[in-house]
Amino acid sequence: MELHAYTRTISDLFSVKKKYVVPRFQREYSWTKEKVSELWDDIVANINISNDGQFNHEEYFIGSLVLVGDDKSLSMQIVDGQQRLTTITILLSALCQRFIEIEKRNLAESIYENYIAGKDDEGKDYFKLENETPKPFFQISIQHIDKKQESASSEEEKNLLNSYNEFYSYTSKELLKQKFGQITIENDLYENLLKAIRDQVVKYLKVIFITVSEEDQAYTIFETLNARGMDLSFVDLIKNKVFKSFTTRHPDDYAKTKWKKLRKTIASRDGVGTLETFVRHWWIARYNYTSADNVYKHFKKQWNVGGINPEFFLDELVNDAELYVKISSPVVEDFPQQEEKELYRSLLALKTFNVSQHKPFLLNLFKVRQQNFLTLTDVKKIICFIEKFHFCFNAVCSMRPSGIEQSYSKATRQLFDAKDKNSARKVIDELKQQLLTRLPEKDKFKDDFSKLKYLKSYTKDKKLIQYIFSHLESVKQTTNEFKPDSITLEHILSQSSGTEDYIGMIGNLLPLGAKLNGEAGTKKLVDKIETYNKSNFILTQEFATSNPETWGEEEIKARTSDLAEYCYNSIWITEV
């Protein structure tokens, strides 16, 4: 492999007639506010204003840039360094906007025409940094000199816009005044500061410019540079490996299209998690339990022995991503049949508990259901069991999860290998028995349950308490007609009564509809009872019927203990 390395400035890169293309195997733009801020601080730290008002610059090295092509190439692919080049382009574009705002469009056009855009030999306009993934958002909202306000629709577009907004903010008069320690900044000084930043970027930022001649070599270098996780996640490395195997891009770039759909699917709902989490869970569901740090190592091992077909791999990732989204962040439309509503409620509860160890198992559970190895009743029962387990284990008791994920992983792979109904049900039964041995004792449950609270100033446990009341109502209801999906929390002893912690305890709370909650307000208890009697919630009716003569710390703690006892018993006496 032949490599050529040179030292280059940003001006050397962008002032020539070249196009730098972000290739299909590269990851999306992902720089955070912290990384943008770090680059900005490094840029301005190397600019000094002398006593006579002159600007002095120090050179600053920003790393290596690896490209496919040679000095004669009009278009070069970026193997390593696209995040930095993109961020620098964004900064230059922000400077363009600042020059336009101070009516120095000639300076803005100079930056734009020299470093952001160009014309080919046919007189056609092009951008010197070309990235197809966020097109046209990046081009029209950030790169172009006359920007259009467009809404960011993907995570990458949001990152690009955030970086632009950061640089735009950093280059304001006020922040530059603070950064350079100036008492005031008049128009002339502001213009000169912007020029100094421009010069620092294009003339004094330096890179090691490395070129290779073939794209196949680019994939190899890409993996070599990042195999130790210096910059990329294991998902980026897997993507690089898979993309390398798809050499045909006509009539469609199959790998790029599939990968774009995969990212779009995972980002389609809040609460699903990252693409990295999904790919790890998918790997566990199909191959073996592994930490995130070792996914790529296991992937590469399978790849090297021919255990992965790239096209099948991509197809299955995309298909299972749609199921994973429904498991992770369910909506009622995912389960249109009445007999599926219990699935929806259990999955929604697991999302509320913020647990994820069960997801690989559920992926395979639903796939086995599609093979008719399990009935809908089988699936509902085990998911209901998992919901109850994690309610106790995670949501209330916050117990250490060591060993839980491995138990799920073993059952997950056994379920993946199941050949019939008996083997599938056996896996489920064994998993239940393993999880039952990890249940918290009743005393621990009650102790942690008593620590739950809800106040205007403390809302962390609000959704969990609403879930608890919803569960208790479903147990107490004699029919299945009433399913409380939205519960407001009423403080029996009003929050205005004091600041004591016991006011927020669950024993001082009742489920109540929004209208009746407003009616109860901060009335005295004797007056609230009349309002509580109007409620359809059995818990609230029971409290109203008990008609307590006094209500204070002792009564609240006693009711909290009773609710904890009833809640624990109602879950495991009715264990499925």
Side-chain angles (χ1 to χ4, degrees):
M1 182 186 299
E2 189 175 357
L3 295 174
H4 298 278
Y6 319 87
T7 301
R8 291 282 189 268
T9 64
I10 298 303
S11 179
D12 293 333
L13 296 177
F14 283 138
S15 63
V16 295
K17 191 184 294 183
K18 281 190 185 294
K19 183 189 297 184
Y20 300 96
V21 180
V22 178
R24 58 207 281 270
F25 59 82
Q26 279 281 15
R27 60 175 168 169
E28 286 75 9
Y29 182 76
S30 60
W31 267 35
T32 60
K33 178 180 178 179
E34 289 72 24
K35 294 204 73 172
V36 170
S37 175
E38 183 180 339
L39 176 63
W40 172 254
D41 288 342
D42 288 338
I43 289 170
V44 297
N46 285 285
I47 305 172
N48 295 298
I49 306 177
S50 61
N51 293 333
D52 60 359
Q54 297 299 309
F55 291 94
N56 300 309
H57 300 268
E58 297 289 337
E59 292 183 348
Y60 177 63
F61 176 66
I62 60 170
S64 61
L65 179 64
V66 183
L67 303 111
V68 180
D70 55 41
D71 284 341
K72 297 178 182 178
S73 304
L74 296 178
S75 179
M76 304 186 82
Q77 288 195 5
I78 307 169
V79 179
D80 194 56
Q82 64 106 346
Q83 301 279 330
R84 280 164 286 155
L85 277 191
T86 302
T87 306
I88 288 166
T89 297
I90 293 170
L91 171 53
L92 291 171
S93 188
L95 287 172
C96 281
Q97 186 61 31
R98 287 300 187 185
F99 280 125
I100 289 172
E101 289 171 0
I102 62 172
E103 299 182 350
K104 298 292 180 180
R105 190 176 178 92
N106 60 318
L107 294 175
E109 289 175 347
S110 176
I111 293 175
Y112 183 72
E113 292 169 4
N114 281 318
Y115 308 118
I116 298 176
K119 288 184 183 291
D120 63 19
D121 289 340
E122 303 300 320
K124 294 180 180 179
D125 294 319
Y126 67 91
F127 286 112
K128 296 192 175 184
L129 179 68
E130 183 177 284
N131 192 341
E132 289 293 319
T133 308
K135 194 174 183 177
F137 176 84
F138 181 52
Q139 289 78 4
I140 65 176
S141 297
I142 295 177
Q143 282 181 295
H144 203 275
I145 192 169
D146 296 313
K147 298 169 180 52
K148 294 181 180 179
Q149 297 296 321
E150 297 284 338
S151 297
S153 59
S154 68
E155 194 65 28
E156 180 179 22
E157 290 175 2
K158 291 175 185 175
N159 289 334
L160 290 163
L161 183 59
N162 289 341
S163 293
Y164 176 81
N165 288 337
E166 286 298 311
F167 283 131
Y168 182 75
S169 174
Y170 293 152
T171 51
S172 67
K173 274 188 180 182
E174 188 60 32
L175 291 188
L176 287 182
K177 181 176 74 172
Q178 296 174 18
K179 204 70 177 176
F180 286 93
Q182 300 297 304
I183 298 174
T184 60
I185 293 185
E186 302 299 333
N187 288 344
D188 286 348
L189 178 56
Y190 182 50
E191 177 186 335
N192 288 334
L193 280 171
L194 293 176
K195 288 179 180 178
I197 293 165
R198 174 204 62 193
D199 290 346
Q200 182 66 32
V201 171
V202 301
K203 296 178 182 178
Y204 296 95
L205 292 191
K206 292 201 169 183
V207 299
I208 297 298
F209 183 83
I210 303 171
T211 62
V212 295
S213 58
E214 301 293 336
E215 184 176 353
D216 279 350
Q217 296 174 349
Y219 283 102
T220 303
I221 292 174
F222 181 84
E223 182 175 352
T224 302
L225 286 171
N226 298 286
R228 300 191 179 209
M230 296 297 290
D231 295 309
L232 302 184
S233 74
F234 64 86
V235 169
D236 295 308
L237 295 171
I238 288 173
K239 176 186 174 185
N240 172 56
K241 201 79 171 175
V242 171
F243 273 42
K244 184 178 180 180
S245 67
F246 287 89
T247 56
T248 302
R249 304 179 197 175
H250 182 79
D252 179 43
D253 191 335
Y254 182 85
K256 185 176 179 180
T257 300
K258 281 287 185 180
W259 198 266
K260 188 174 182 179
K261 183 178 180 181
L262 174 63
R263 280 200 171 274
K264 186 176 180 181
T265 299
I266 294 298
S268 63
R269 295 182 192 173
D270 292 333
V272 175
T274 64
L275 181 59
E276 283 74 18
T277 300
F278 162 66
V279 173
R280 176 174 175 257
H281 284 166
W282 185 88
W283 185 266
I284 290 172
R286 283 182 171 267
Y287 294 97
N288 60 290
Y289 174 78
T290 182
S291 65
D293 290 339
N294 289 319
V295 172
Y296 182 64
K297 181 177 75 174
H298 290 290
F299 168 86
K300 195 173 178 181
K301 184 176 179 181
Q302 284 286 334
W303 182 277
N304 290 340
V305 298
I308 292 177
N309 176 289
E311 185 171 343
F312 178 77
F313 179 86
L314 274 181
D315 285 343
E316 289 297 291
L317 268 181
V318 172
N319 292 337
D320 287 351
E322 295 174 358
L323 178 56
Y324 187 84
V325 165
K326 294 178 181 179
I327 290 168
S328 303
S329 186
V331 295
V332 68
E333 291 78 14
D334 294 333
F335 304 93
Q337 303 304 317
Q338 186 59 39
E339 58 269 25
E340 296 177 324
K341 299 305 180 187
E342 291 176 47
L343 287 177
Y344 164 68
R345 281 188 284 270
S346 289
L347 292 172
L348 197 60
L350 289 164
K351 181 184 177 184
T352 299
F353 304 158
N354 194 29
V355 293
S356 62
Q357 302 100 318
H358 64 291
K359 290 182 183 180
F361 177 78
L362 293 193
L363 263 178
N364 283 350
L365 183 72
F366 279 98
K367 291 172 80 70
V368 169
R369 164 65 182 147
Q370 292 169 359
Q371 296 173 286
N372 292 318
F373 288 173
L374 294 172
T375 66
L376 179 59
T377 300
D378 292 328
V379 173
K380 287 196 292 187
K381 282 185 175 182
I382 183 58
I383 294 181
C384 180
F385 175 88
I386 289 171
E387 171 197 353
K388 291 178 177 182
F389 173 79
H390 285 292
F391 166 68
C392 289
F393 189 88
N394 294 92
V396 175
C397 294
S398 300
M399 295 179 70
R400 296 181 58 139
S402 57
I404 296 294
E405 194 170 34
Q406 287 91 330
S407 295
Y408 272 123
S409 299
K410 179 181 177 182
T412 297
R413 292 189 299 279
Q414 289 175 338
L415 205 56
F416 184 77
D417 294 331
K419 303 299 182 185
D420 52 39
K421 294 179 181 178
N422 289 335
S423 57
R425 286 174 177 163
K426 182 180 178 183
V427 171
I428 289 173
D429 289 339
E430 289 178 354
L431 175 64
K432 285 173 61 176
Q433 292 307 312
Q434 287 185 29
L435 294 181
L436 281 170
T437 64
R438 300 297 302 276
L439 276 177
E441 297 293 333
K442 184 188 289 189
D443 286 347
K444 175 170 177 54
F445 177 87
K446 290 181 67 175
D447 182 57
D448 289 331
F449 187 94
S450 69
K451 296 173 185 175
L452 300 176
K453 67 177 181 178
Y454 167 63
L455 295 164
K456 287 180 181 177
S457 58
Y458 186 89
T459 60
K460 176 177 171 286
D461 299 329
K462 181 180 179 180
K463 287 186 177 181
L464 179 57
I465 293 172
Q466 288 174 319
Y467 166 83
I468 291 169
F469 282 152
S470 180
H471 163 73
L472 293 176
E473 284 293 322
S474 68
V475 172
K476 287 175 175 288
Q477 294 287 339
T478 56
T479 70
N480 289 325
E481 296 178 69
F482 181 62
K483 291 292 183 184
D485 293 322
S486 179
I487 292 174
T488 68
L489 299 178
E490 153 73 359
H491 289 80
I492 302 168
L493 183 61
S494 300
Q495 295 184 71
S496 59
S497 302
T499 58
E500 292 84 354
D501 274 353
Y502 64 80
I503 292 176
M505 292 177 71
I506 194 169
N508 189 46
L509 300 173
L510 288 173
L512 207 60
K515 184 177 179 181
L516 290 180
N517 202 329
E519 183 181 317
T522 58
K523 294 177 181 177
K524 293 180 179 179
L525 178 59
V526 65
D527 299 318
K528 286 187 174 187
I529 294 295
E530 184 179 344
T531 301
Y532 297 162
N533 275 317
K534 300 176 185 178
S535 175
N536 288 324
F537 291 107
I538 290 182
L539 277 170
T540 308
Q541 292 173 3
E542 287 178 347
F543 180 82
T545 302
S546 70
N547 199 18
E549 294 182 4
T550 59
W551 192 253
E553 181 177 2
E554 184 178 340
E555 290 79 14
I556 289 170
K557 289 183 176 179
R559 181 169 179 264
T560 297
S561 179
D562 291 343
L563 285 173
E565 178 85 21
Y566 186 84
C567 193
Y568 189 87
N569 290 339
S570 68
I571 283 178
W572 299 113
I573 287 176
T574 58
E575 185 267 308
V576 291

